C-alpha cells in the first residue's frame, strides 16, 4: 500500500469520530513516529510504498484510534515543557494548562530562590521532572498513590537524567514526614463525578479515573487535604501551587484563606478558564 492510500483509509475510517484536521495530525504523528517521515517528507513522497511490517503497525494504530484510544497511549509518549515523556494508561496525559502551571512555578522559583520542592500526585512525573531539569541543584520530591504511575515517572526521570525522590504515598491518609519544602505543587484529581457525562470517550474510557475524579459530595477533598499539609510543611514564605477545576476558584481561595495563606492569586489558562492558584504561607 502507498502512503497516500493509507492516509485516505485513515480519513474514511475516522471521519465519523474526528474532524479532518485532527485526523491529519494523527497521520503525521504516526508517520513521524513509525516511519521517521516529517510532514514535508509525506508531501514530497506521497507514493512511498509501505512494507508489510510498516503497514501492520499503522493499521494497528488506526484500529486503536477507532476505539478512541488516545494517540499518546498508542505511541507511548507525549511532549511537555519541550521534553518527551513516556505515558501509559497508568498515568494522565499531561495537558497544556499544566505546562502553564509549571511555567508559573519556574518563574516563582527563580524569583524566590526556592531550593526544595514537593510534587503531590506526580503521575508521569512531568511537573517534578520539568522542575528538576530546569533547576538541577534543587531538591525535588514527588509522591503518588499509584506504584504503576511511579514506575513510569522513574523511567522519565532516568531518561532526562534528573534526580527526583519518588515515594508511594496516599496523601489522603496521614502522611508522616518531618520534611519541609519551599514550594509544594499539585495537579490533583478535580473533576466531579457528575461531570463524567460531559467528557469525551477518549478520556473517560482510557485515562485513570483515580487521577481524574472526586465525589460530588466533596469536590475540594484534595485541596483541603493538601492545603492543610502545606500549612504544616512549607517553609516560612513558602509557596503552594494548585491546578484547579474552573468552577471552584473562589472556593479554593476561601479554603486557603481559612488555612491562613496569603498573597493568593488566581490565574486563567490559555482558554480563559480559572485554572491555577498560587498562595504563600
Amino acid at each position: 500500500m502507498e502512503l497516500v492510500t493509507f492516509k485516505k483509509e485513515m480519513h474514511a475510517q475516522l471521519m465519523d469520530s474526528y474532524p479532518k484536521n485532527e485526523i491529519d495530525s494523527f497521520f503525521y504523528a504516526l508517520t513521524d513516529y513509525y516511519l521517521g517521515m516529517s510532514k514535508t517528507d509525506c508531501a514530497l513522497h506521497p507514493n512511498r510504498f509501505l512494507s508489510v511490517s510498516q503497514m501492520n503497525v499503522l493499521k494497528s494504530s488506526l484500529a486503536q484510534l477507532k476505539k478512541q484510544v488516545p494517540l499518546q497511549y498508542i505511541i507511548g509518549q507525549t511532549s511537555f515543557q519541550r521534553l518527551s515523556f513516556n505515558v501509559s494508561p497508568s498515568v494522565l496525559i499531561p495537558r497544556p494548562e499544566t505546562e502553564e502551571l509549571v511555567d508559573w512555578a519556574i518563574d516563582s522559583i527563580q524569583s524566590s530562590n526556592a531550593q526544595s520542592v514537593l510534587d503531590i500526585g506526580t503521575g508521569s512525573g512531568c511537573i517534578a521532572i520539568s522542575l528538576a531539569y530546569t533547576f538541577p541543584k534543587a531538591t525535588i520530591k514527588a509522591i503518588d498513590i499509584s506504584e504503576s504511575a511511579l514506575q513510569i515517572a522513574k523511567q522519565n526521570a532516568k531518561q532526562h537524567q534528573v534526580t527526583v525522590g519518588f515515594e508511594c504515598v496516599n496523601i489522603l491518609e496521614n502522611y508522616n514526614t518531618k520534611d519541609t519544602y519551599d514550594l509544594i505543587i499539585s495537579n490533583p484529581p478535580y473533576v466531579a463525578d457528575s461531570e463524567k457525562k460531559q467528557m469525551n470517550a477518549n478520556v473517560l474510557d482510557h485515562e485513570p479515573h483515580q487521577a481524574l475524579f472526586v465525589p460530588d459530595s466533596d469536590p475540594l477533598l484534595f485541596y483541603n487535604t493538601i492545603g492543610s499539609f502545606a500549612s504544616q510543611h512549607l517553609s516560612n514564605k513558602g509557596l503552594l501551587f494548585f491546578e484547579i477545576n474552573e468552577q471552584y476558584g473562589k472556593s479554593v481561595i476561601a479554603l486557603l484563606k481559612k488555612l491562613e495563606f496569603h498573597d493568593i492569586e488566581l490565574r486563567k489558562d490559555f482558554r480563559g478558564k480559572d485554572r491555577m492558584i498560587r498562595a504563600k504561607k
Side-chain angles (χ1 to χ4, degrees):
M1 181 182 287
E2 293 181 343
L3 188 62
V4 67
T5 305
F6 176 72
K7 185 177 183 181
K8 291 177 181 177
E9 184 174 323
M10 277 193 72
H11 277 274
Q13 294 196 34
L14 299 178
M15 62 186 298
D16 291 337
S17 302
Y18 302 96
K20 180 181 182 301
N21 63 333
E22 192 167 3
I23 300 172
D24 283 338
S25 71
F26 291 157
F27 172 77
Y28 293 121
L30 292 176
T31 51
D32 177 59
Y33 184 75
Y34 290 121
L35 307 181
M37 295 180 70
S38 67
K39 188 174 181 179
T40 301
D41 293 333
C42 292
L44 291 174
H45 306 286
N47 301 116
R48 171 175 167 173
F49 189 79
L50 300 171
S51 69
V52 173
S53 60
Q54 290 170 338
M55 198 64 252
N56 286 342
V57 73
L58 289 172
K59 284 192 171 184
S60 174
S61 297
L62 175 55
Q64 292 180 77
L65 286 169
K66 286 182 68 176
K67 296 177 182 177
Q68 300 204 20
V69 177
L71 175 70
Q72 295 91 334
Y73 290 158
I74 294 172
I75 63 177
Q77 61 181 229
T78 192
S79 177
F80 184 90
Q81 286 284 318
R82 297 170 294 282
L83 300 173
S84 177
F85 282 83
N86 298 318
V87 292
S88 79
S90 297
V91 300
L92 285 181
I93 298 166
R95 268 47 174 199
E97 50 267 38
T98 307
E99 290 189 275
E100 293 183 282
L101 178 70
V102 172
D103 286 336
W104 195 8
I106 288 172
D107 290 343
S108 297
I109 291 172
Q110 289 172 335
S111 59
S112 67
N113 196 33
Q115 298 295 312
S116 56
V117 176
L118 174 65
D119 174 24
I120 298 177
T122 195
S124 65
C126 61
I127 293 176
I129 291 165
S130 296
L131 294 177
Y133 190 87
T134 307
F135 303 103
K137 293 183 179 179
T139 300
I140 312 286
K141 185 173 181 178
I143 64 174
D144 201 283
I145 191 175
S146 168
E147 286 280 11
S148 54
L150 288 171
Q151 289 304 312
I152 296 291
K154 289 174 183 177
Q155 292 173 17
N156 287 322
K158 183 177 181 180
Q159 174 180 314
H160 294 298
Q161 299 180 330
V162 298
T163 300
V164 176
F166 293 105
E167 186 177 352
C168 189
V169 171
N170 181 354
I171 194 64
L172 297 179
E173 296 178 352
N174 189 26
Y175 179 30
N176 293 315
T177 178
K178 296 180 180 179
D179 296 337
T180 58
Y181 304 90
D182 297 325
L183 187 146
I184 293 175
I185 187 168
S186 182
N187 175 19
Y190 60 66
V191 182
D193 282 331
S194 59
E195 296 180 84
K196 288 180 180 179
K197 58 182 179 292
Q198 304 168 23
M199 301 183 73
N200 293 328
N202 61 339
V203 175
L204 191 59
D205 295 345
H206 300 285
E207 297 201 53
H209 285 203
Q210 186 178 46
L212 282 169
F213 297 109
V214 287
D216 291 337
S217 59
D218 194 3
L220 302 184
L221 172 64
F222 284 91
Y223 300 108
N224 194 14
T225 301
I226 295 170
S228 297
F229 175 87
S231 70
Q232 300 298 316
H233 294 276
L234 274 172
S235 58
N236 186 37
K237 297 184 179 180
L239 297 171
L240 173 62
F241 283 84
F242 279 133
E243 185 172 319
I244 66 165
N245 185 320
E246 62 180 296
Q247 300 182 62
Y248 299 114
K250 291 181 180 179
S251 299
V252 176
I253 289 173
L255 183 156
L256 292 173
K257 286 181 177 178
K258 189 175 180 180
L259 290 169
E260 299 185 349
F261 285 88
H262 61 97
D263 292 350
I264 302 170
E265 183 179 350
L266 173 66
R267 281 192 180 183
K268 297 183 184 297
D269 64 15
F270 67 100
R271 296 186 179 94
K273 297 180 178 181
D274 291 341
R275 185 62 67 198
M276 58 205 87
I277 283 179
R278 181 182 68 180
K280 184 180 290 186
K281 181 177 176 180

